[in-house]
Amino acid sequence: SYELTQPPSVSVSPGQTARITCSGDVLPKKFVYWYQLKSGQAPVLVIYEDSKRPSGIPARFSGSSSGTTATLTISGAQVEDEADYYCYSTDSSGNDRDVFGPGTRVTVL
Amino acid sequence: QMQLVESGGGLVPPGGSLRLSCIASGFTFSHYGIHWVRQAPGKGLEWVALIRYDGDNKYYADFVKGRFTISRDNSKNTVFLQMNSLRPEDTAVYYCAKDHGYLGTYWYFDLWGRGTLLTVSS
């Protein structure tokens, strides 16, 4: 398998922009996905295939990927965006045991 | 709407067994693979197992091979995770998650349940 790296925490004031990075040597060969986890709730896919937003996800969530680093951006963060965010990468082949990043706690206050 | 609901978690002594269930609704269950993903207390997410839509192919993380068995009953829209020889390090919230692939496998998760807690302790 391989490793992904994320910062443990990111803090932002309401209305400001939060950026969460995910780094890994395999990222040039794989898509990145971002999941939002809130305690007691079902995890939610917020970005898929590096930069695509599922229906129902607010437009303030965006994703990008370049080289070995992917970034989840929350533009105009809201209090309800406070959560843990995990990156995950796969090339959909099933050849690797794809892994999650360690997660980033986003605090909005 | 599409939904996954896990059940079956609880307190089990080391070496014990337990079976988790995941019931799906709101989509054609037999067309999609289902994964189990876990999160130990204070830790990150960890993929556990996958069963493809037809049940013919199953995949496991190395740390559960030989101890856990994933299965499905498409007539009941349910996936099971039979867990044997449980260890304290298996303590976690176990989530089931739907694979994105239609009649195939994309190896990512587009719908999750709320999870069920397994505690392995004497």
Side-chain angles (χ1 to χ4, degrees), chain A residues 80-101:
Chain A
E80 61 263 33
D81 299 332
E82 193 163 282
D84 294 328
Y85 291 84
Y86 290 84
C87 63
Y88 171 82
S89 69
T90 182
D91 60 5
S92 297
S93 69
N95 292 329
D96 290 323
R97 285 296 174 253
D98 297 315
V99 298
F100 291 91

